[in-house]
Amino acid sequence: MVSTGLQSGPRTTLPLDCAILATGLRNLGNTCYLNSSLQTLFSVSGFATDLRSTRDLIVAKYGSRQGDESKAKLPLTNALIDTAVDLRVLLLEESAGQQAGEDATEGDRRITSHNRNVFANPKELKKVIDALTDWFHAYQQQDAHEAIGFIIDALHDELAGAAKAIKGGTIGADGASGAKDEDILLPTDKYFRLEFREQNVCTECGFTGGEITSVLRNLPIAISEDENKPWTVQETLERHFAPETRDLKCEKCPCKKARHTTRVVKKPGALLLSFKRFVQEMPSPMVNHQDKPVDKENENVNGGSTDDTPSLEGERASAASSATPAAAAFVAPPIIRSKVRVCLQEKVSLAPFMVKDDKADDSTPKSHSFDAVGVVHHIGSTPHSGHYTADAVRNRDLGLFDDSQLGEGEKKWVIFDDTATTFSDKITVLEGETSQRNTYMAMYVAE
């Protein structure tokens, strides 16, 4: 018999001949974007376990200090933990006094077996998300990248707020944990905190200005525009972090050129990459320069005309004030989907992009190498239409029902298409042409 875990209460048993691989997620109506995001998120080994441990620690500390554990409200955290239990990526913690064979309560019936598939219902999680934002209201197709990004950001804000409320605990202004005994290392920082530094260096005198340190929890990167020359994932990273020359006035000399560099200061435990597969169609060359839309991702690259070249120190302020009424009235060109392949790789490295004085501590992975554990695929013309699926690694600790054929430490790639789960293999997932043309996001974990 094969057991499926319920949030509390008995385990449901299923015959081995059901050929069940892993737990899928019910599509509530155009929620494949959410399902694929969750399956990919939970492919990060240890994340769900650390999330539950952090929740329990926060609740215990809050209750002991405030006298009421119920005040430590963590709706998104609890909903994600419940979902992880339903997906079997978290072991069931059965309540005391409840034995196998007893009737489950209505709230326990989130696991369903139907047509040789086992799937969980993310309805409660969807309700929590809808209470936090109107981005994903109703049941229209949404962008999986926006969904997973919101979940990670909102989860961090929720945990950081609760941890900060504990007397004696400290959370930094940017949400990062400090170094005091009472601090709690948040799983969103442990796994999804990519810290990087941007610098502008004058090409003539070497003066450095406009240094910025930022934090990202997922990294959007461009893909090749040439159908005949697709980039590997490592190549997309190399181009993302490649130095570039910008039009910037130097504060120390007459030079108006600067070398802009971006380097990683602190590595995350999991590297979530989103590929810029959806791009705006290029405007006609006849369009007046003032009428062009502002590229928010690269608005600091060019400061405008020679007379208005921003300075190294004032780059950001200059770019922020560059919007004009004409730009506001501009009708954006249509968004088109790139079908260029992304050559997925089993391993990528951040070593070439690290600063020498990187912030290494106990929460930072020792290795610069990352292994592929999840891929989100999109089929359709826009990110808000079409269909999303996910390929993710699983073993018995990550919800695989039968790992008898796996060697020690071995993992299986599983295709998650809402409720349906089927085995795949590394070559199909990483090297298959269809997979590479539909790749939208990729999850890598530190070795």
Side-chain angles (χ1 to χ4, degrees):
M1 305 293 282
V2 178
S3 296
T4 65
L6 300 176
Q7 168 60 14
S8 61
R11 295 172 181 264
T12 299
T13 56
L14 299 162
L16 283 171
D17 59 9
C18 279
I20 296 164
L21 307 178
T23 307
L25 283 165
R26 179 184 177 186
N27 192 318
L28 305 175
N30 291 319
T31 55
C32 57
Y33 71 93
L34 177 62
N35 295 346
S36 60
S37 296
L38 292 171
Q39 298 288 12
T40 303
L41 180 64
F42 289 128
S43 67
V44 179
S45 180
F47 173 72
T49 302
D50 286 347
L51 182 60
R52 182 163 62 184
S53 298
T54 302
R55 186 274 309 269
D56 293 346
L57 180 60
I58 288 175
V59 170
K61 284 181 174 289
Y62 199 103
S64 65
R65 295 180 185 277
Q66 306 298 327
D68 184 2
E69 293 184 3
S70 66
K71 290 182 179 179
K73 301 294 185 182
L74 301 168
L76 182 57
T77 303
N78 290 327
L80 284 170
I81 291 171
D82 288 347
T83 303
V85 170
D86 291 346
L87 292 177
R88 290 174 53 89
V89 296
L90 264 183
L91 295 177
L92 176 69
E93 290 184 342
E94 298 190 35
S95 56
Q98 196 162 27
Q99 304 295 324
E102 292 182 5
D103 291 335
T105 64
E106 185 64 31
D108 294 327
R109 301 190 182 112
R110 291 195 302 266
I111 301 281
T112 304
S113 174
H114 180 66
N115 288 342
R116 299 170 67 85
N117 290 322
V118 172
F119 55 91
N121 191 337
K123 179 176 65 175
E124 296 304 316
L125 175 59
K126 178 69 163 57
K127 286 182 179 178
V128 172
I129 293 174
D130 286 345
L132 294 173
T133 181
D134 59 2
W135 289 6
F136 312 104
H137 274 188
Y139 295 95
Q140 297 177 345
Q141 184 63 282
Q142 303 290 346
D143 188 340
H145 172 226
E146 293 177 355
I148 196 170
F150 173 81
I151 289 172
I152 295 173
D153 287 341
L155 178 64
H156 179 78
D157 291 344
E158 181 176 276
L159 292 172
K164 191 173 182 179
I166 300 172
K167 185 181 297 185
T170 60
I171 295 292
D174 59 357
S177 300
K180 295 184 179 180
D181 292 339
E182 292 285 349
D183 287 346
I184 298 174
L185 175 61
L186 305 182
T188 45
D189 277 337
K190 179 179 179 180
Y191 294 96
F192 299 107
R193 183 181 178 84
L194 173 63
E195 213 171 306
F196 61 96
R197 179 189 303 156
E198 295 181 78
Q199 288 183 326
N200 296 308
V201 181
C202 176
T203 58
E204 291 292 333
C205 70
F207 172 73
T208 300
E211 182 175 308
I212 302 171
T213 300
S214 305
V215 173
L216 286 178
R217 303 201 182 274
N218 65 86
L219 183 62
I221 52 178
I223 62 176
S224 172
E225 298 178 359
D226 189 341
E227 175 75 22
N228 298 316
K229 294 182 179 179
W231 298 341
T232 64
V233 175
Q234 189 68 37
E235 286 175 323
T236 66
L237 290 170
E238 290 170 359
R239 284 166 170 78
H240 180 83
F241 288 103
E244 60 183 14
T245 300
R246 296 188 172 183
D247 295 328
L248 296 171
K249 290 180 181 178
C250 180
E251 300 292 323
K252 303 296 183 180
C253 77
C255 180
K256 296 182 179 181
K257 297 289 183 180
R259 186 173 184 266
H260 181 85
T261 60
T262 303
R263 285 293 177 264
V264 176
V265 176
K266 185 175 182 179
K267 305 181 297 292
L271 182 63
L272 176 57
L273 305 175
S274 60
F275 301 102
K276 299 178 182 178
R277 191 167 286 282
F278 298 96
V279 295
Q280 287 186 326
E281 207 166 28
M282 293 300 293
S284 167
M286 297 301 294
V287 176
N288 184 278
H289 173 76
Q290 295 246 347
D291 291 339
K292 291 182 181 179
V294 177
D295 181 353
K296 291 297 184 183
E297 293 177 356
N298 299 296
E299 60 183 351
N300 293 334
V301 173
N302 294 310
S305 66
T306 303
D307 293 338
D308 296 326
T309 304
S311 67
L312 295 183
E313 297 290 354
E315 177 184 10
R316 177 166 296 201
S318 176
S321 63
S322 63
T324 65
F330 178 81
V331 178
I335 294 177
I336 59 174
R337 182 187 187 278
S338 169
K339 296 181 180 179
V340 174
R341 296 166 62 178
V342 175
C343 296
L344 295 167
Q345 296 169 283
E346 186 176 6
K347 294 179 181 292
V348 296
S349 175
L350 290 181
F353 323 119
M354 299 296 301
V355 298
K356 294 181 179 179
D357 57 336
D358 59 298
K359 297 181 179 179
D361 54 36
D362 292 340
S363 67
T364 304
K366 305 303 179 185
S367 173
H368 295 317
S369 296
F370 291 74
D371 295 328
V373 296
V375 182
V376 172
H377 300 286
H378 175 267
I379 304 169
S381 57
T382 73
H384 296 90
S385 65
H387 185 57
Y388 289 95
T389 63
D391 295 337
V393 295
R394 291 289 186 268
N395 55 22
R396 193 163 186 82
D397 292 336
L398 286 173
L400 195 66
F401 283 109
D402 183 9
D403 64 350
S404 59
Q405 304 301 315
L406 299 182
E408 184 177 354
E410 187 180 357
K411 298 175 182 179
K412 267 287 188 182
W413 280 96
V414 178
I415 301 172
F416 292 95
D417 188 352
D418 292 329
T419 59
T421 60
T422 54
F423 271 142
S424 187
D425 59 80
K426 181 172 60 179
I427 294 178
T428 301
V429 172
L430 301 181
E431 301 179 16
E433 181 175 347
T434 300
S435 174
Q436 292 183 351
R437 290 191 185 279
N438 293 330
T439 294
Y440 189 42
M441 291 188 289
M443 183 77 79
Y444 286 82
V445 296
E447 290 183 341

